[in-house]
Amino acid sequence: MFTQAKIQEFKERGHLTLPGLFSSSEIDAAIQDIHSWGNLILENLSERDKAWYLDRGVKNAEVLRKLDMPVFQRDVFRNLAHKKNLVSCVEQLIGKGVSVYFSQIFLKPPEGGGPKPVHQDNFYFGPDDPNGMVTVWIALDEATTENGCLYFGEGTQDGDVIKHIAPPDEPYNLQIPPETAIKAPMTPAPVPRGGVSFHHGSTFHQSSSNTSTKWRRAAAFHYARNDVRLVTPALPYDESQYVVVTSI
Ligand SMILES: O=C(O)CCC(=O)C(=O)O
């Protein structure tokens, strides 16, 4: 559970870090599951999907950069999303009765794992209540400035959701236009393995390339209060794949 001071910090900064939420064995099981699931996905990836799912920063090898919907598709991740201590924290931030509307694994391989440009999750999801969604980002490896931790534009959660643009060859890689993004100073948010970074759906955030010799793997669960509707989604989200975590 968060103290009132922590909740206030989330309101002011648009993100919060909580170390030690998951045990080493929970993280080991998650990584093992990523290996088996990832290998299956890699074997069956179409040429069209390779452009989006393979890491472009890694030369001469096909390495996945992301996997979609772990909470819907995999028991290990569904169990993590239901963890009592985590759900209590989520409900303190967005209210009671929550679901995971979307989830992703971000795999940033050593020596090359590519960056994620500045964006707001609320542009992707287009919720009718900008305060009704929170992203839970679980560090499966220690996340540092060297291996590509998240950076946040503190206070940007109180501003507008900006219209994003995408490079012509990467239509899903939506991002805030550089001339706007550059105005927000970005603060690094290192997270120890098993810790969680929570961010408001409107907070500007990005991650840099992995220049280290270590992996930077993370699971992002996008929780919404159950009454929230995605009214202007930038990409298609499938309601039949929402995972209800608590009802009231
Ligand atoms: O892990 C990353 O590099 C990007 C994560 C992200 O953008 C998110 O969780 O919303």
Side-chain angles (χ1 to χ4, degrees):
M1 296 283 277
F2 289 126
T3 59
Q4 277 309 314
K6 280 284 172 199
I7 294 174
Q8 190 55 31
E9 184 185 328
F10 180 81
K11 285 194 179 133
E12 283 167 14
R13 299 173 72 186
H15 73 103
L16 261 189
T17 302
L18 194 59
L21 233 155
F22 292 99
S23 67
S24 193
S25 58
E26 286 172 313
I27 300 298
D28 286 344
I31 289 180
Q32 208 175 345
D33 195 57
I34 289 173
H35 277 301
S36 31
W37 183 32
N39 285 341
L40 267 179
I41 297 277
L42 202 50
E43 278 166 23
N44 295 297
L45 210 55
S46 68
E47 283 309 312
R48 193 176 61 101
D49 282 347
K50 281 184 181 175
W52 180 236
Y53 286 97
L54 293 183
D55 197 301
R56 292 180 173 201
V58 180
K59 305 280 174 259
N60 308 320
E62 292 198 334
V63 181
L64 282 174
R65 79 172 184 90
K66 89 190 284 269
L67 290 161
D68 283 338
M69 298 306 272
V71 172
F72 177 71
Q73 304 218 47
R74 309 294 290 182
D75 288 347
V76 171
F77 288 95
R78 196 167 320 120
N79 291 340
L80 296 184
H82 279 83
K83 187 164 172 130
K84 213 162 165 279
N85 292 352
L86 175 68
V87 177
S88 305
C89 290
V90 167
E91 291 193 320
Q92 281 183 288
L93 299 178
I94 60 173
K96 285 201 176 294
V98 296
S99 299
V100 175
Y101 279 13
F102 194 63
S103 55
Q104 316 175 67
I105 307 286
F106 291 105
L107 303 160
K108 220 186 258 286
E111 293 173 335
K116 176 76 192 166
V118 183
H119 65 282
Q120 292 166 293
D121 295 344
N122 277 348
F123 183 81
Y124 279 78
F125 297 118
D128 54 2
D129 176 2
N131 299 314
M133 292 190 79
V134 66
T135 297
V136 160
W137 189 94
I138 305 169
L140 303 176
D141 298 293
E142 181 186 15
T144 65
T145 50
E146 289 76 34
N147 72 358
C149 68
L150 293 180
Y151 283 68
F152 293 104
E154 297 189 335
T156 50
Q157 75 283 354
D158 291 332
D160 293 336
V161 176
I162 310 287
K163 190 172 166 22
H164 288 36
I165 56 169
D169 58 338
E170 292 178 280
Y172 303 130
N173 196 7
L174 296 161
Q175 51 199 273
I176 294 174
E179 60 277 14
T180 305
I182 204 153
K183 291 185 197 146
M186 301 300 275
T187 305
V191 186
R193 174 181 145 103
V196 173
S197 168
F198 297 80
H199 64 259
H200 185 283
S202 296
T203 308
F204 286 22
H205 60 289
Q206 56 104 188
S207 65
S208 306
S209 299
N210 184 351
T211 56
S212 79
T213 54
K214 296 180 179 157
W215 277 91
R216 198 241 57 189
R217 291 164 288 203
F221 301 166
H222 304 281
Y223 286 86
R225 225 181 30 249
N226 293 330
D227 61 291
V228 170
R229 296 288 160 265
L230 305 188
V231 284
T232 54
L235 302 177
Y237 296 102
D238 183 352
E239 240 180 270
S240 69
Q241 298 192 354
Y242 292 0
V243 175
V244 178
V245 176
T246 51
S247 2
I248 46 163

